[in-house]
Amino acid sequence: MFDPKKLLDDLLGSKIPGTEGTVRDKAGQAVQMAKDNPLAAGALAAVLLGTGAGRQLTGTAIKLGGIAAIGGLAYKAYQNYKNGDQPVAADAPAARQPELLPPPAGTDFHPASAPQGEDEFALTLVRAMIAAAKADGHIDDEERKKIGDKLSLSGIGGEAEAFMRKELEAPLDLGALVAAARTEAQKVELYTASRLAIEPDTRAERGYLDLLAGRLGLPDALVDHIEATVSAAKVPAA
């Protein structure tokens, strides 16, 4: 079995322990090798987070492991919401912080607090990102082949690659995805991961996120804080 937390690191471009690089670096080489077959905008977001949509996480966020980065962003948004703060526009100076911190130990946002275990919840977050990446409906058979070609070049490993291919082809089961978030914190994290995977530039993508928020029971004000927090953590891709 592949390591779900490592796969989540790969998708977010987080630093891989014991290395100086990221899987996004490898995937960037893959894109260069296969640039004659570019993917449609947004379709590769679940594989190379943000590059298809033209944005990626800042360096402060990718220094954390994937599950800690998502938890940190979700915790920050949740605290701002609970404190009654107003969401800050991504381009406002107040939105920028020198470093994204992991969620505090002992809170429900910390990975060790996951009732189903870190690995299982990491897998749920991966599935959430893939579901969001498919929301625009542009992943047809030809697109899957293109994605598959780049997956083969990305170096994520055979089992992880097979899992990704299977998830990309599977029909959306929103009920199962929502049910996998067992706590209020996990619901915030699941939505945060979904929003990280895409830039909702189409009506279908925005509609999917709105539907997901509704099924998760997230208040509009909290969703606005997640949106602001995620937007501030992403910068134009190089």
Side-chain angles (χ1 to χ4, degrees):
M1 176 64 179
F2 63 90
D3 182 348
K5 289 188 290 185
K6 180 181 180 300
L7 180 57
L8 191 58
D9 288 345
D10 294 347
L11 301 187
L12 283 164
S14 300
K15 296 295 183 185
I16 302 170
T19 76
E20 294 300 321
T22 71
V23 168
R24 181 186 284 143
D25 297 333
K26 295 179 184 178
Q29 298 168 14
V31 171
Q32 182 65 33
M33 293 167 62
K35 63 181 180 181
D36 57 326
N37 283 316
L39 295 175
L44 194 58
V47 182
L48 311 176
L49 179 66
T51 58
R55 299 183 69 83
Q56 62 189 29
L57 286 178
T58 62
T60 59
I62 64 173
K63 289 192 298 185
L64 299 176
I67 195 168
I70 291 171
L73 289 168
Y75 177 78
K76 179 181 175 183
Y78 187 76
Q79 288 301 112
N80 289 342
Y81 163 70
K82 282 295 189 181
N83 291 338
D85 299 335
Q86 290 297 313
V88 179
D91 57 354
R96 302 296 177 185
Q97 292 195 359
E99 185 176 10
L100 173 67
L101 299 176
T107 68
D108 287 345
F109 289 87
H110 193 275
S113 300
Q116 66 272 66
E118 289 184 45
D119 284 353
E120 185 60 34
F121 187 54
L123 206 59
T124 294
L125 295 176
V126 170
R127 288 191 169 105
M129 292 168 65
I130 295 172
K134 296 192 296 184
D136 63 3
H138 291 160
I139 303 182
D140 55 20
D141 289 342
E142 181 180 358
E143 200 65 32
R144 288 192 189 96
K145 182 182 184 303
K146 292 178 182 179
I147 293 172
D149 290 343
K150 289 185 173 62
L151 278 174
S152 298
L153 290 167
S154 68
I156 64 173
E159 290 187 339
E161 180 184 336
F163 170 81
M164 292 287 290
R165 289 175 185 269
K166 180 179 178 182
E167 289 297 318
L168 283 164
E169 294 174 1
L172 174 65
D173 188 344
L174 193 58
L177 188 62
V178 169
R182 299 186 185 179
T183 66
E184 183 178 14
Q186 288 190 343
K187 292 177 181 179
V188 180
E189 290 177 272
L190 193 149
Y191 184 88
T192 300
S194 302
R195 176 59 182 83
L196 277 168
I198 56 175
E199 289 299 312
D201 297 325
T202 69
R203 184 174 296 178
E205 289 169 328
R206 185 74 264 167
Y208 174 77
L209 289 176
D210 289 344
L211 177 61
L212 178 63
R215 292 289 295 272
L216 290 168
L218 301 181
D220 289 346
L222 175 54
V223 171
D224 290 343
H225 275 289
I226 298 170
E227 174 69 31
T229 303
V230 169
S231 294
K234 297 175 79 173
V235 295

